[in-house]
Amino acid sequence: MIKIGLAGFGDHEELYGKIKPALRLPTYSGHFSIVEIDSSFYAIQPVRNYEKWVEQTPEGFGFVVKAYQGMTGHLRGKKNYYDSKAEMFQAFHHSTQPVINGGKLAMALFQFPPWFDCTQDNIDILLDTKELMKDVPCALEFRNSSWYTPEFQDKTLQLIEREGWIHTVADEPQAGTGSIPIVPVATSPEMTLVRFHGRNVGGWNQSQHPDWRNLRYLYRYSTEELEEWRDILLELEKSSKVVYVVFNNNSGGDATDNAKELQAMLGIEDQGLAPRQLDLF
C-alpha cells in the first residue's frame, strides 16, 4: 500500500481555500490519509492538540510526528526547556499518547541535522535515541551525505535495519555534504517513509537568507520526475507493507498539486477519507 500526504495541514490554501483554522484538518483529511506534523519539531505539542487532531480525523488516518529539535541535536546553544534528555523524551511520549491510543501514529520522524555526520559518537546517539523511544515506530532521516558514501552506505543501511529504524528515502537538492542522495531501499518490512523536499539547488544552503525556509522548499516536480518516482515507489512497495509519501515542497503551493498528480499516476483512491464538504466553502 502507498499512502500520500503533505507536510503540515495548516497552510495549504490551494487545497481548502480560506477557511477557519479549526476546519483545515477535517477538510484536509477528505483528500489525504496521512499528514506530517511538523509543529512538533519546534515544540513538543500539548496533549490537547493531539486529542483534537485524532478526533478530527477518520479511522485509518495516520500521523507522521516529527521529533522535537532538542531530540535531534538541532538546538546548538538555543534554550532547551527540559533539564535532561530523559525528561525531554518522556515529554514527547506523553504528548503523543493520544495518537497512539487512537491507533493513528504511523511513526515518529527523526530528521538529524546537516552536521550530524557518520561517526562513532553519532552512531552511539542513534542507539541511545532508539532505546529511549521504546517500541514507538521511528523513521530516520539524515541530512549529511557521509552516511551514504560508497564506503559507508551498506553499513548505514545495515545499522538502520538492525536497530529497527524505518529508512527515510529523501528526494532533495544535490547540494554538497548537507544533502543526501536518493537511496530507495526499505529496511523495514512494515513501512518505509519517502519525503519530497524539492530540487531547488540554489535555495538549499541559503540559511542566511531572511526567508530561507520558503526559499529552500520552492520547487514544483514535473510530470516526468513524478513518473520516475511512481516506478520507484512501486518497487519499494514490494519490500514494505506501507510506503508513506510526504510532500514537503510547500513554499509555492506546489505540494498539493504534486501529491494529487502522483496519486492519480498510482491509481490511489484512499480508503477511509473524511467526507468532502467543499460545497460549504
Side-chain angles (χ1 to χ4, degrees):
M1 179 184 296
I2 299 172
K3 298 172 78 71
I4 297 175
L6 311 178
F9 60 81
D11 57 353
H12 301 291
E13 275 194 19
E14 71 282 356
L15 181 64
Y16 39 61
K18 295 183 182 296
I19 61 175
K20 295 178 181 179
L23 296 175
R24 291 174 185 170
L25 180 56
T27 305
Y28 172 100
S29 65
H31 295 266
F32 301 108
S33 61
I34 61 165
V35 71
E36 180 184 301
I37 299 296
D38 48 10
S39 55
S40 53
F41 174 79
Y42 301 100
I44 292 179
Q45 296 297 295
V47 170
R48 65 178 180 275
N49 285 1
Y50 287 115
E51 290 175 338
K52 176 179 64 177
W53 296 338
V54 167
E55 188 177 308
Q56 288 180 329
T57 50
E59 188 175 344
F61 191 86
F63 292 90
V64 176
V65 180
K66 201 168 182 183
Y68 170 57
Q69 59 185 325
M71 299 161 70
T72 51
H74 281 84
L75 289 175
R76 291 221 297 189
K78 297 177 187 176
K79 181 173 176 57
N80 190 337
Y81 295 94
Y82 301 94
D83 293 331
S84 69
K85 190 172 184 178
E87 181 188 354
M88 181 169 53
F89 276 78
Q90 185 177 10
F92 186 84
H93 281 292
H94 177 68
S95 169
T96 55
Q97 200 59 48
V99 193
I100 296 171
N101 292 344
K104 294 184 178 181
L105 180 67
M107 67 191 75
L109 166 61
F110 283 77
Q111 177 194 295
F112 284 89
W115 54 87
F116 191 84
D117 56 354
C118 186
T119 65
Q120 185 59 57
D121 286 345
N122 287 336
I123 289 172
D124 291 342
I125 289 173
L126 294 179
L127 300 179
D128 186 46
T129 298
K130 193 64 176 62
E131 185 174 349
L132 286 166
M133 288 304 294
K134 304 174 183 176
D135 58 352
V136 174
C138 293
L140 175 59
E141 180 176 356
F142 295 114
R143 280 282 174 87
N144 186 291
S145 61
S146 62
W147 297 92
Y148 296 106
T149 61
E151 180 184 1
F152 292 125
Q153 177 170 307
D154 287 346
K155 294 177 181 178
T156 294
L157 294 170
Q158 289 166 9
L159 171 71
I160 294 172
E161 183 173 6
R162 184 177 69 244
E163 297 304 320
W165 288 95
I166 298 157
H167 187 222
T168 302
V169 183
D171 184 302
E172 62 192 36
Q174 297 307 289
T177 58
S179 59
I180 62 170
I182 296 172
V183 182
V185 177
T187 59
S188 164
E190 298 300 318
M191 61 191 90
T192 298
L193 178 62
V194 177
R195 298 181 80 217
F196 286 90
H197 300 299
R199 299 178 180 181
N200 185 355
V201 177
W204 190 250
N205 293 320
Q206 298 294 325
S207 58
Q208 303 306 313
H209 192 280
D211 196 26
W212 70 272
R213 291 189 189 279
N214 284 326
L215 184 64
R216 168 173 282 191
Y217 301 111
L218 185 60
Y219 189 81
R220 188 179 187 89
Y221 286 91
S222 69
T223 297
E224 292 74 22
E225 289 167 337
L226 293 178
E227 284 174 341
E228 292 175 4
W229 265 105
R230 173 196 58 200
D231 297 339
I232 294 172
L233 293 173
L234 290 172
E235 283 298 313
L236 284 171
E237 191 183 17
K238 295 175 182 177
S239 303
S240 283
K241 291 179 182 177
V242 187
V243 180
Y244 293 90
V245 179
V246 173
F247 280 86
N248 190 34
N249 56 325
N250 291 330
S251 301
D254 296 312
T256 297
D257 286 347
N258 281 159
K260 291 276 189 179
E261 185 175 5
L262 186 57
Q263 279 182 329
M265 285 181 184
L266 289 162
I268 291 175
E269 295 182 5
D270 270 310
Q271 298 85 11
L273 294 179
R276 296 189 192 179
Q277 298 178 325
L278 298 183
D279 56 313
L280 298 179
F281 312 112

